[in-house]
Amino acid sequence: MKLDSKIPEGRLEDKWSNYQLKSRLINPANKKKLNVIVVGAGLAGSGAAATLAELGYDVQCFCYQDSARRAHSVAAQGGMNAAKNYQHDGDSVFRMFYDALKGGDFRSREANTYRLAELSAPLIDHYVQQGVPFAREYGGVLINRSFGGVQVERTFYARGQTGQQLVLAAYSQLYKMVRAKKVKMMVRHEMLDLVLIDGKAKGIIARDLVTGQIKRFAADAVVLATGGYSRVFRLSTLAIGCNGSAIWKAHKRGAYFAAPSFTQIHPTALPQTSDSQSKLTLMSESLRNDGRIWVPKDKNDTRNGNDIPEEERDYYLERRYPSFGNLAPRDISSRAAKERIDAGHGVGNLKNAVYLDFKHAIERFGRDVIEDRYGNLFSMYKKITGIDAYKEPMKISPAAHFSMGGLWVDYELMTTIPGLYAIGECNYADHGANRLGANSLLQASIDGYFILPNTINNYLEDALKQDHPGVDHPEFDKVEKEVKSQIEKIMAVKGSRTVDDFHRELGKVMWQECAMSRNKQGLERAIVQIKQIHAEFWKEVRVTGTDNEMNSELEKALRLADFIELSLLMCTDALQRDESCGAHFREEYQTEEGEAVRNDEDFAYVSAWEYNAGDFILHKEKLEFEYVQPSVRSYK
Amino acid sequence: MFFKKSIMAGTGLFLSIFLIVHLSANCLLLLPESMARELYNAYSTILRESIVITIVAYLLYLSIILHVVYAAIVTYKNYKASPDRYMMNHTNETSSWSSQNMGLLGVFILLFIVIHMANFWARIKLGLGDGVGFDAAGNLDVYEVTYSLFQNIYFVVFYSIMMIPLGLHLNHALKSAFKTLGFYHKKGLRVLAKISLVYAVVIAVGFGIIPLIVYLK
Amino acid sequence: MKVTFKIWRQDSPKSKGVLKSYETDGISEDMSFLEALDHLNEILVAKNEKVVAFEYDCREGICGQCGLFINGRAHGPHEHTTACQLHMRSFKDGDTIVVEPWRAAAFPIIKDLVVDRSAFDRIIEKGGYISAKTGTAPEANAMLIPKEIADASMDVAACIGCGACVATCKNASAALFTSAKINHLNKLPQGKPEQHRRVLDMTAQMEAEGFGSCTLTGACEVECPAGISIASIAEMNNRYVRAKLLG
């Protein structure tokens, strides 16, 4: 199948308006006859479900949590970018577009990334109107702050809880439409498979997580808004329930998976302290404004951080990147930390962390100033570690964070399966090989509120004229049977190892070979190991309880089974990309100083993988750059 | 819920004001005996004969009844809202004992009011029990009723001790009544908490100490 | 360290629950409370027993999904802390820890430590939003909102919807939760057009769900992970009175 990105005609700045002018419309009376399923109720899902319902469609919205307000978009702390140029500092839509494209190391479509920047300004208007209490000046206007990778102040924020406040706005709009009886909210329901009829997405099979019942849901289109899959590493900044099952099932039913190996590793999370740890908590990137990162020069130094004299410390970011120093971009900082840790200079019990030291900042500005800037982060650090970071350096460590990769989508956010859309983090669209800070809330929101509700008409207009097959269609029987048999199969293994045990094993392999830096041998080794884990999993996993009750072990097992398969594709993708770009760093492709070497000649494409009975077929969507010439990212 | 709580807050505040008036009258008992008897009896005669005070008195009875009835209803509904109790409960660490036991304290206070009214109201207003004489000025000798009651150490102890639940109840009640009625100014609430405490202490100590002083007179 | 958990086990909403004792070894001080329960569940799987059902998601104190009554306190012994941010270093080797679900008539138990908090969603449904369709918003800076008002709104908007306020309240009152959402929106100019309707509808739903009434004990503000003050409840009462009179 040829990949058609459906980029509209016209100049870059006219493409989206041209698209809207030409797209088809459906009259309100007819919209009532159409039914859309939205899977996921985070920023993208809630926004899409609420807006589609406002437009008149009947919507069924699903989430695995007990309420739509829990979706992991809540965890974003820093803020959301928008090209409002309120600060009069030379910002513009084009500059924002350029920053995102360059930040992504020129591995995304110009038209998509431009639209991201273009729709950012109306999105701020929209959220303000919905009651998001963004930070304000005394005079009542909105405040901005700066964020990594850019030179202007364009980030809007609501204390350290921007994500949560945006989710609450979206969730409240969703429930407004529940009250209007236009959205049916299905909480504690997890999508387990996609149903295609004549090659088109026409419904899903979901499991009721309370009763264990397998249920069918039919619709005229299906929208996936299921977030990122970095839990494949087990230890990540994601919520424990985050998973890749919905997109993986869609992939197996025919949706191409784009750039699965592009995973952002965040440099400032709290380190792992033991094997039983479940989660790595993110500390805001803003700490790097005043904190200095270092490791002991001596590998075997077991002294406390404070006892190590200046001359025996290696401030490696300042040493390697003198002009950006501690504020080097996320991917570069993470890799530099990994390099030091791998060389044996890590600190902490497991020697897996580096110091983030505020001693100098406190000496220079005084404790009060530091407390004013980061007080909440320091108290959170103390809550989790029990350590007072005003007195001792923090220990931080890189952690898996964001999935740039996801289902391949065209300009309309439709996957390669007609009628199946992917929005928010679960698609691959705007961020290229590395996402800039404060762009993820933005992308999820505009996908859900602004883009999808415009583009989906184009497809539904046709669907209107066709049959609306119900859940009694034989395809539903068939898929439901497959889902049930997978559950039976997993319950029947009755092996000797827990799901978490397998997840830890998989996570270690993926973290070692397919995270911050990769190489051919490592990836090939990982593929062998993952296949072994796969085989072992289906022989030795043990799920207790039954499948017709609330059973967290079964939920985890089903998700892990998909993660194992997905991790194979991630390694396969990383292996084929013989270059270093953005978050994807192949050790074979670096300069003598250890900097990434991108290869635009051979790899200026989006890899889009087709599933073929356990194997993967690569398709390439060539990226054309008409308005921006790809340049080398240098932070020296 | 808001209606019921507002009734409780409103009647409670009304009763709280009454307590101040009542306490200031009681202070007359602290004067030297002849003066106390004369003023106290004169005062109570004025009260009995005033139409305004009669209306206020009926409002008081009504307030007590409403306060008790709605307390019973709210308590029952609250019980229904959390019928299953925790096996281990340390919520006493998060809020004061009295705030968690306003109902219990209220029962003590109600018990006290019944006995108090039997001691005074029933004798003076209804003429039940021993008759009440007149003083030199021809006023009903209410002072004598009080004085003789507080010659009995059991009554003195009862009256004094029962002021403890009253004080605890009032301390939580006064500040809460304002919040229930919608006063939410943060600084104001902090001041209010202090006023509540002072008020509760003054009322409880004031009412509690007078019988003792009368006994020792 | 070794810890004995006494955990409420209840198979289904209708069945009778009971506290069961589980001894565990190999708990480390750095584990979060939920990781200690993960650890217990792995032990149970090894013994071929059903795992303890409990709720969690973000494990960083913001999603509000975890909710456990630990040793007689909502979210455990610390103030303003969620169960996922409670760590085992707060307990001693050899401790017995009692873990129960939130108990309130409006939060029926689903299984073990999992309760149904959908009553909160239904309260939001009755007006916890601003009726503004996508695409209808005016320019953001066209509406000036003084910093004091934006900050005060943010103070209450911080509610994570965990239900600790209900769990710790002797009356199982949802006043703190409901007031937080009402005040968040009613303080802002965007929320004014619907302010009276919002207060009346949301409080009516709160009562219909079977939550108790607020007697202002103040326990909720001590446990609230977002540190919301009970002044918020007083403010809701104020808005209610105004809505009754003016609305």
Side-chain angles (χ1 to χ4, degrees), chain A residues 51 54 67 86 125 128 131 159 171 173 240 276 278-279 384 498 542 544 550, chain C residues 31 35 42 45-46 49 57 60 89 111 121 129-130 134 139-140 155 184 190:
Chain A
T51 307
E54 284 169 4
S67 166
Y86 282 161
D125 302 341
V128 166
R159 290 211 186 130
Y171 153 80
Q173 295 300 311
I240 306 302
S276 51
S278 59
K279 146 106 192 175
I384 295 170
T498 62
R542 178 189 287 183
T544 58
M550 180 175 267
Chain C
M31 279 183 181
E35 283 162 5
E42 288 205 70
V45 171
E49 286 180 38
D57 205 29
E60 55 182 276
R89 71 180 77 89
K111 189 182 179 189
D121 291 331
Y129 51 78
I130 287 166
T134 303
E139 152 64 35
D155 285 343
H184 157 210
Q190 305 92 300

mmCIF file of all heavy atoms in Angstrom, chain A residues 51 54 67 86 125 128 131 159 171 173 240 276 278-279 384 498 542 544 550, chain C residues 31 35 42 45-46 49 57 60 89 111 121 129-130 134 139-140 155 184 190:
data_model
loop_
_atom_site.group_PDB
_atom_site.id
_atom_site.type_symbol
_atom_site.label_atom_id
_atom_site.label_comp_id
_atom_site.label_asym_id
_atom_site.label_seq_id
_atom_site.Cartn_x
_atom_site.Cartn_y
_atom_site.Cartn_z
ATOM 1 N N THR A 51 -15.899 17.436 21.765
ATOM 2 C CA THR A 51 -16.144 18.265 20.587
ATOM 3 C C THR A 51 -17.007 17.530 19.565
ATOM 4 O O THR A 51 -17.928 18.113 18.978
ATOM 5 C CB THR A 51 -14.809 18.701 19.968
ATOM 6 O OG1 THR A 51 -14.023 19.310 21.001
ATOM 7 C CG2 THR A 51 -15.010 19.695 18.848
ATOM 8 N N GLU A 54 -20.445 17.767 20.737
ATOM 9 C CA GLU A 54 -21.012 19.114 20.518
ATOM 10 C C GLU A 54 -21.469 19.274 19.065
ATOM 11 O O GLU A 54 -22.462 19.935 18.778
ATOM 12 C CB GLU A 54 -19.961 20.184 20.820
ATOM 13 C CG GLU A 54 -19.719 20.428 22.308
ATOM 14 C CD GLU A 54 -18.500 21.303 22.566
ATOM 15 O OE1 GLU A 54 -17.872 21.792 21.600
ATOM 16 O OE2 GLU A 54 -18.159 21.469 23.745
ATOM 17 N N SER A 67 -12.150 6.980 36.375
ATOM 18 C CA SER A 67 -12.755 8.232 35.924
ATOM 19 C C SER A 67 -11.887 8.821 34.825
ATOM 20 O O SER A 67 -10.678 8.602 34.797
ATOM 21 C CB SER A 67 -12.856 9.220 37.091
ATOM 22 O OG SER A 67 -13.126 10.522 36.590
ATOM 23 N N TYR A 86 2.935 37.091 23.308
ATOM 24 C CA TYR A 86 2.521 38.049 24.337
ATOM 25 C C TYR A 86 3.723 38.775 24.936
ATOM 26 O O TYR A 86 3.584 39.854 25.476
ATOM 27 C CB TYR A 86 1.790 37.326 25.476
ATOM 28 C CG TYR A 86 0.361 36.947 25.177
ATOM 29 C CD1 TYR A 86 -0.283 35.962 25.925
ATOM 30 C CD2 TYR A 86 -0.367 37.596 24.175
ATOM 31 C CE1 TYR A 86 -1.599 35.621 25.681
ATOM 32 C CE2 TYR A 86 -1.688 37.250 23.922
ATOM 33 C CZ TYR A 86 -2.305 36.256 24.678
ATOM 34 O OH TYR A 86 -3.604 35.915 24.446
ATOM 35 N N ASP A 125 -6.771 30.398 23.927
ATOM 36 C CA ASP A 125 -8.075 31.064 24.070
ATOM 37 C C ASP A 125 -9.126 30.070 24.559
ATOM 38 O O ASP A 125 -9.897 30.345 25.478
ATOM 39 C CB ASP A 125 -8.553 31.625 22.711
ATOM 40 C CG ASP A 125 -7.553 32.607 22.111
ATOM 41 O OD1 ASP A 125 -6.707 33.118 22.856
ATOM 42 O OD2 ASP A 125 -7.627 32.826 20.884
ATOM 43 N N VAL A 128 -8.619 29.008 28.234
ATOM 44 C CA VAL A 128 -8.974 30.084 29.154
ATOM 45 C C VAL A 128 -10.496 30.151 29.281
ATOM 46 O O VAL A 128 -11.051 30.229 30.381
ATOM 47 C CB VAL A 128 -8.404 31.430 28.666
ATOM 48 C CG1 VAL A 128 -9.047 32.592 29.416
ATOM 49 C CG2 VAL A 128 -6.894 31.459 28.863
ATOM 50 N N GLY A 131 -12.048 27.780 31.623
ATOM 51 C CA GLY A 131 -11.825 27.965 33.059
ATOM 52 C C GLY A 131 -10.503 27.447 33.590
ATOM 53 O O GLY A 131 -10.379 27.200 34.791
ATOM 54 N N ARG A 159 0.607 26.767 37.764
ATOM 55 C CA ARG A 159 1.531 26.245 38.801
ATOM 56 C C ARG A 159 2.313 25.068 38.236
ATOM 57 O O ARG A 159 2.746 25.111 37.099
ATOM 58 C CB ARG A 159 0.774 25.840 40.065
ATOM 59 C CG ARG A 159 0.259 27.042 40.750
ATOM 60 C CD ARG A 159 0.151 26.958 42.249
ATOM 61 N NE ARG A 159 -0.511 28.195 42.633
ATOM 62 C CZ ARG A 159 -1.561 28.279 43.414
ATOM 63 N NH1 ARG A 159 -2.052 27.220 43.985
ATOM 64 N NH2 ARG A 159 -2.106 29.437 43.669
ATOM 65 N N TYR A 171 -12.067 17.143 30.782
ATOM 66 C CA TYR A 171 -12.961 16.187 31.460
ATOM 67 C C TYR A 171 -14.307 16.844 31.785
ATOM 68 O O TYR A 171 -15.365 16.232 31.650
ATOM 69 C CB TYR A 171 -12.234 15.706 32.708
ATOM 70 C CG TYR A 171 -13.063 15.251 33.881
ATOM 71 C CD1 TYR A 171 -13.628 13.986 33.908
ATOM 72 C CD2 TYR A 171 -13.230 16.068 34.995
ATOM 73 C CE1 TYR A 171 -14.351 13.562 35.012
ATOM 74 C CE2 TYR A 171 -13.939 15.659 36.099
ATOM 75 C CZ TYR A 171 -14.508 14.402 36.106
ATOM 76 O OH TYR A 171 -15.210 13.988 37.202
ATOM 77 N N GLN A 173 -15.698 19.276 30.136
ATOM 78 C CA GLN A 173 -16.454 19.410 28.886
ATOM 79 C C GLN A 173 -17.040 18.057 28.472
ATOM 80 O O GLN A 173 -18.150 17.970 27.945
ATOM 81 C CB GLN A 173 -15.553 19.941 27.765
ATOM 82 C CG GLN A 173 -15.058 21.352 27.998
ATOM 83 C CD GLN A 173 -16.186 22.362 28.121
ATOM 84 O OE1 GLN A 173 -17.085 22.405 27.306
ATOM 85 N NE2 GLN A 173 -16.151 23.170 29.174
ATOM 86 N N ILE A 240 1.148 3.597 35.845
ATOM 87 C CA ILE A 240 1.326 2.145 35.816
ATOM 88 C C ILE A 240 0.409 1.495 34.775
ATOM 89 O O ILE A 240 0.748 0.495 34.161
ATOM 90 C CB ILE A 240 1.033 1.544 37.208
ATOM 91 C CG1 ILE A 240 1.894 2.240 38.269
ATOM 92 C CG2 ILE A 240 1.266 0.045 37.227
ATOM 93 C CD1 ILE A 240 3.367 2.162 38.056
ATOM 94 N N SER A 276 12.086 -3.765 42.989
ATOM 95 C CA SER A 276 10.639 -3.797 43.162
ATOM 96 C C SER A 276 10.013 -2.452 42.844
ATOM 97 O O SER A 276 8.811 -2.287 42.950
ATOM 98 C CB SER A 276 10.302 -4.186 44.589
ATOM 99 O OG SER A 276 11.016 -3.363 45.461
ATOM 100 N N SER A 278 8.328 0.552 40.910
ATOM 101 C CA SER A 278 7.346 0.437 39.834
ATOM 102 C C SER A 278 7.363 1.631 38.909
ATOM 103 O O SER A 278 6.801 1.595 37.838
ATOM 104 C CB SER A 278 5.957 0.307 40.440
ATOM 105 O OG SER A 278 5.688 1.435 41.246
ATOM 106 N N LYS A 279 8.028 2.710 39.339
ATOM 107 C CA LYS A 279 7.789 3.967 38.638
ATOM 108 C C LYS A 279 8.926 4.929 38.929
ATOM 109 O O LYS A 279 9.490 4.903 40.012
ATOM 110 C CB LYS A 279 6.464 4.507 39.180
ATOM 111 C CG LYS A 279 6.350 5.985 39.270
ATOM 112 C CD LYS A 279 5.463 6.480 38.193
ATOM 113 C CE LYS A 279 5.542 7.987 38.065
ATOM 114 N NZ LYS A 279 4.774 8.473 36.960
ATOM 115 N N ILE A 384 9.641 11.721 48.672
ATOM 116 C CA ILE A 384 9.924 10.442 48.028
ATOM 117 C C ILE A 384 11.217 9.810 48.525
ATOM 118 O O ILE A 384 11.281 8.612 48.757
ATOM 119 C CB ILE A 384 9.940 10.630 46.491
ATOM 120 C CG1 ILE A 384 8.543 11.030 46.029
ATOM 121 C CG2 ILE A 384 10.401 9.363 45.775
ATOM 122 C CD1 ILE A 384 8.469 11.463 44.597
ATOM 123 N N THR A 498 5.666 -14.444 37.985
ATOM 124 C CA THR A 498 4.662 -13.376 37.982
ATOM 125 C C THR A 498 4.817 -12.511 36.734
ATOM 126 O O THR A 498 5.868 -12.484 36.097
ATOM 127 C CB THR A 498 4.811 -12.452 39.205
ATOM 128 O OG1 THR A 498 6.100 -11.833 39.150
ATOM 129 C CG2 THR A 498 4.684 -13.213 40.496
ATOM 130 N N ARG A 542 2.192 -16.768 35.377
ATOM 131 C CA ARG A 542 1.128 -17.247 36.248
ATOM 132 C C ARG A 542 0.174 -16.102 36.589
ATOM 133 O O ARG A 542 0.589 -15.079 37.111
ATOM 134 C CB ARG A 542 1.707 -17.810 37.547
ATOM 135 C CG ARG A 542 0.614 -18.273 38.511
ATOM 136 C CD ARG A 542 1.138 -18.613 39.859
ATOM 137 N NE ARG A 542 1.872 -19.885 39.829
ATOM 138 C CZ ARG A 542 2.387 -20.423 40.942
ATOM 139 N NH1 ARG A 542 2.289 -19.813 42.101
ATOM 140 N NH2 ARG A 542 3.042 -21.566 40.866
ATOM 141 N N THR A 544 -3.217 -15.540 38.741
ATOM 142 C CA THR A 544 -4.152 -16.177 39.676
ATOM 143 C C THR A 544 -5.519 -15.520 39.550
ATOM 144 O O THR A 544 -5.687 -14.552 38.825
ATOM 145 C CB THR A 544 -3.635 -16.056 41.122
ATOM 146 O OG1 THR A 544 -3.458 -14.671 41.412
ATOM 147 C CG2 THR A 544 -2.323 -16.772 41.301
ATOM 148 N N MET A 550 -12.761 -8.615 38.742
ATOM 149 C CA MET A 550 -11.694 -7.622 38.701
ATOM 150 C C MET A 550 -10.390 -8.356 38.996
ATOM 151 O O MET A 550 -10.259 -9.014 40.017
ATOM 152 C CB MET A 550 -11.963 -6.545 39.759
ATOM 153 C CG MET A 550 -10.907 -5.475 39.784
ATOM 154 S SD MET A 550 -11.320 -4.147 40.939
ATOM 155 C CE MET A 550 -12.153 -3.024 39.865
ATOM 156 N N MET C 31 10.632 1.667 49.336
ATOM 157 C CA MET C 31 9.419 1.322 48.587
ATOM 158 C C MET C 31 8.300 2.286 48.943
ATOM 159 O O MET C 31 8.160 2.681 50.096
ATOM 160 C CB MET C 31 8.931 -0.072 48.995
ATOM 161 C CG MET C 31 9.628 -1.202 48.334
ATOM 162 S SD MET C 31 8.840 -2.718 48.907
ATOM 163 C CE MET C 31 9.812 -3.913 48.029
ATOM 164 N N GLU C 35 4.041 0.057 46.284
ATOM 165 C CA GLU C 35 5.013 -0.964 45.858
ATOM 166 C C GLU C 35 5.094 -2.098 46.870
ATOM 167 O O GLU C 35 5.298 -3.258 46.507
ATOM 168 C CB GLU C 35 6.392 -0.322 45.643
ATOM 169 C CG GLU C 35 6.458 0.443 44.323
ATOM 170 C CD GLU C 35 7.601 1.438 44.232
ATOM 171 O OE1 GLU C 35 8.439 1.502 45.148
ATOM 172 O OE2 GLU C 35 7.643 2.178 43.230
ATOM 173 N N GLU C 42 2.841 -10.166 44.645
ATOM 174 C CA GLU C 42 3.725 -11.156 44.013
ATOM 175 C C GLU C 42 3.876 -12.382 44.915
ATOM 176 O O GLU C 42 3.930 -13.507 44.430
ATOM 177 C CB GLU C 42 5.092 -10.539 43.694
ATOM 178 C CG GLU C 42 5.021 -9.568 42.527
ATOM 179 C CD GLU C 42 6.353 -9.411 41.790
ATOM 180 O OE1 GLU C 42 6.790 -10.370 41.097
ATOM 181 O OE2 GLU C 42 6.954 -8.344 41.934
ATOM 182 N N VAL C 45 0.734 -14.377 44.438
ATOM 183 C CA VAL C 45 0.729 -15.134 43.176
ATOM 184 C C VAL C 45 1.590 -16.395 43.343
ATOM 185 O O VAL C 45 1.202 -17.490 42.931
ATOM 186 C CB VAL C 45 1.248 -14.269 42.004
ATOM 187 C CG1 VAL C 45 1.446 -15.127 40.758
ATOM 188 C CG2 VAL C 45 0.271 -13.142 41.706
ATOM 189 N N ALA C 46 2.728 -16.212 43.990
ATOM 190 C CA ALA C 46 3.608 -17.368 44.198
ATOM 191 C C ALA C 46 2.890 -18.457 44.988
ATOM 192 O O ALA C 46 3.111 -19.646 44.783
ATOM 193 C CB ALA C 46 4.879 -16.931 44.923
ATOM 194 N N GLU C 49 -2.552 -17.610 45.192
ATOM 195 C CA GLU C 49 -3.748 -16.990 45.766
ATOM 196 C C GLU C 49 -4.158 -15.786 44.937
ATOM 197 O O GLU C 49 -3.361 -15.234 44.193
ATOM 198 C CB GLU C 49 -3.464 -16.532 47.202
ATOM 199 C CG GLU C 49 -3.399 -17.658 48.193
ATOM 200 C CD GLU C 49 -3.115 -17.142 49.596
ATOM 201 O OE1 GLU C 49 -3.650 -16.073 49.951
ATOM 202 O OE2 GLU C 49 -2.350 -17.801 50.308
ATOM 203 N N ASP C 57 -2.611 4.590 39.708
ATOM 204 C CA ASP C 57 -2.256 4.799 38.314
ATOM 205 C C ASP C 57 -0.957 5.590 38.203
ATOM 206 O O ASP C 57 0.088 5.016 37.967
ATOM 207 C CB ASP C 57 -3.383 5.431 37.496
ATOM 208 C CG ASP C 57 -3.254 5.076 36.009
ATOM 209 O OD1 ASP C 57 -2.711 4.004 35.720
ATOM 210 O OD2 ASP C 57 -3.676 5.848 35.143
ATOM 211 N N GLU C 60 2.452 9.294 41.323
ATOM 212 C CA GLU C 60 3.222 10.476 41.671
ATOM 213 C C GLU C 60 2.338 11.537 42.303
ATOM 214 O O GLU C 60 2.676 12.711 42.289
ATOM 215 C CB GLU C 60 4.006 10.997 40.470
ATOM 216 C CG GLU C 60 3.172 11.288 39.230
ATOM 217 C CD GLU C 60 4.037 11.764 38.051
ATOM 218 O OE1 GLU C 60 4.336 12.962 38.001
ATOM 219 O OE2 GLU C 60 4.408 10.930 37.207
ATOM 220 N N ARG C 89 9.457 3.862 54.751
ATOM 221 C CA ARG C 89 10.304 4.360 55.835
ATOM 222 C C ARG C 89 9.468 5.027 56.931
ATOM 223 O O ARG C 89 9.976 5.308 58.009
ATOM 224 C CB ARG C 89 11.372 5.312 55.295
ATOM 225 C CG ARG C 89 10.911 6.655 54.828
ATOM 226 C CD ARG C 89 12.079 7.491 54.319
ATOM 227 N NE ARG C 89 12.481 7.053 52.991
ATOM 228 C CZ ARG C 89 11.945 7.541 51.850
ATOM 229 N NH1 ARG C 89 11.024 8.471 51.899
ATOM 230 N NH2 ARG C 89 12.345 7.096 50.677
ATOM 231 N N LYS C 111 -14.456 -4.222 45.164
ATOM 232 C CA LYS C 111 -13.720 -5.430 45.536
ATOM 233 C C LYS C 111 -12.549 -5.028 46.435
ATOM 234 O O LYS C 111 -11.879 -4.026 46.146
ATOM 235 C CB LYS C 111 -13.183 -6.116 44.275
ATOM 236 C CG LYS C 111 -12.607 -7.489 44.556
ATOM 237 C CD LYS C 111 -12.039 -8.133 43.309
ATOM 238 C CE LYS C 111 -11.459 -9.479 43.674
ATOM 239 N NZ LYS C 111 -10.720 -10.074 42.594
ATOM 240 N N ASP C 121 -18.035 11.969 39.623
ATOM 241 C CA ASP C 121 -18.241 12.319 38.212
ATOM 242 C C ASP C 121 -19.648 12.875 37.995
ATOM 243 O O ASP C 121 -19.847 13.807 37.224
ATOM 244 C CB ASP C 121 -18.052 11.090 37.309
ATOM 245 C CG ASP C 121 -16.601 10.631 37.261
ATOM 246 O OD1 ASP C 121 -15.715 11.489 37.423
ATOM 247 O OD2 ASP C 121 -16.360 9.425 37.066
ATOM 248 N N TYR C 129 -18.525 22.530 34.942
ATOM 249 C CA TYR C 129 -17.924 22.907 33.662
ATOM 250 C C TYR C 129 -18.405 24.298 33.293
ATOM 251 O O TYR C 129 -19.334 24.834 33.903
ATOM 252 C CB TYR C 129 -18.337 21.921 32.567
ATOM 253 C CG TYR C 129 -19.829 21.695 32.492
ATOM 254 C CD1 TYR C 129 -20.654 22.638 31.894
ATOM 255 C CD2 TYR C 129 -20.412 20.569 33.065
ATOM 256 C CE1 TYR C 129 -22.029 22.467 31.863
ATOM 257 C CE2 TYR C 129 -21.789 20.390 33.045
ATOM 258 C CZ TYR C 129 -22.588 21.332 32.444
ATOM 259 O OH TYR C 129 -23.944 21.178 32.427
ATOM 260 N N ILE C 130 -17.748 24.848 32.295
ATOM 261 C CA ILE C 130 -18.239 26.116 31.729
ATOM 262 C C ILE C 130 -18.792 25.772 30.362
ATOM 263 O O ILE C 130 -18.118 25.121 29.558
ATOM 264 C CB ILE C 130 -17.087 27.130 31.640
ATOM 265 C CG1 ILE C 130 -16.745 27.626 33.053
ATOM 266 C CG2 ILE C 130 -17.453 28.300 30.727
ATOM 267 C CD1 ILE C 130 -15.451 28.367 33.163
ATOM 268 N N THR C 134 -16.281 24.179 21.788
ATOM 269 C CA THR C 134 -15.005 24.338 21.107
ATOM 270 C C THR C 134 -15.191 25.295 19.935
ATOM 271 O O THR C 134 -16.125 25.134 19.144
ATOM 272 C CB THR C 134 -14.524 22.980 20.581
ATOM 273 O OG1 THR C 134 -14.445 22.086 21.686
ATOM 274 C CG2 THR C 134 -13.164 23.099 19.920
ATOM 275 N N GLU C 139 -10.361 35.980 22.317
ATOM 276 C CA GLU C 139 -8.921 36.099 22.559
ATOM 277 C C GLU C 139 -8.626 36.052 24.068
ATOM 278 O O GLU C 139 -9.293 36.721 24.862
ATOM 279 C CB GLU C 139 -8.435 37.402 21.911
ATOM 280 C CG GLU C 139 -7.219 38.070 22.528
ATOM 281 C CD GLU C 139 -5.949 37.250 22.439
ATOM 282 O OE1 GLU C 139 -5.747 36.544 21.428
ATOM 283 O OE2 GLU C 139 -5.152 37.294 23.397
ATOM 284 N N ALA C 140 -7.629 35.233 24.442
ATOM 285 C CA ALA C 140 -7.388 34.948 25.855
ATOM 286 C C ALA C 140 -7.143 36.191 26.694
ATOM 287 O O ALA C 140 -7.672 36.319 27.798
ATOM 288 C CB ALA C 140 -6.210 33.986 25.985
ATOM 289 N N ASP C 155 -5.918 27.590 43.696
ATOM 290 C CA ASP C 155 -5.822 26.913 44.997
ATOM 291 C C ASP C 155 -6.849 25.790 45.121
ATOM 292 O O ASP C 155 -6.543 24.714 45.622
ATOM 293 C CB ASP C 155 -6.077 27.908 46.143
ATOM 294 C CG ASP C 155 -4.885 28.825 46.383
ATOM 295 O OD1 ASP C 155 -3.788 28.486 45.912
ATOM 296 O OD2 ASP C 155 -5.070 29.876 47.024
ATOM 297 N N HIS C 184 -13.680 26.971 42.178
ATOM 298 C CA HIS C 184 -12.735 27.112 41.071
ATOM 299 C C HIS C 184 -13.400 27.861 39.917
ATOM 300 O O HIS C 184 -12.880 28.852 39.414
ATOM 301 C CB HIS C 184 -12.240 25.724 40.646
ATOM 302 C CG HIS C 184 -11.713 25.625 39.247
ATOM 303 N ND1 HIS C 184 -11.790 24.481 38.493
ATOM 304 C CD2 HIS C 184 -11.105 26.527 38.451
ATOM 305 C CE1 HIS C 184 -11.253 24.691 37.307
ATOM 306 N NE2 HIS C 184 -10.833 25.915 37.235
ATOM 307 N N GLN C 190 -15.152 33.756 33.667
ATOM 308 C CA GLN C 190 -15.749 32.841 32.688
ATOM 309 C C GLN C 190 -16.874 32.022 33.313
ATOM 310 O O GLN C 190 -17.788 31.563 32.625
ATOM 311 C CB GLN C 190 -14.724 31.834 32.139
ATOM 312 C CG GLN C 190 -13.480 32.397 31.542
ATOM 313 C CD GLN C 190 -12.379 32.519 32.578
ATOM 314 O OE1 GLN C 190 -12.536 33.210 33.568
ATOM 315 N NE2 GLN C 190 -11.255 31.867 32.355
#
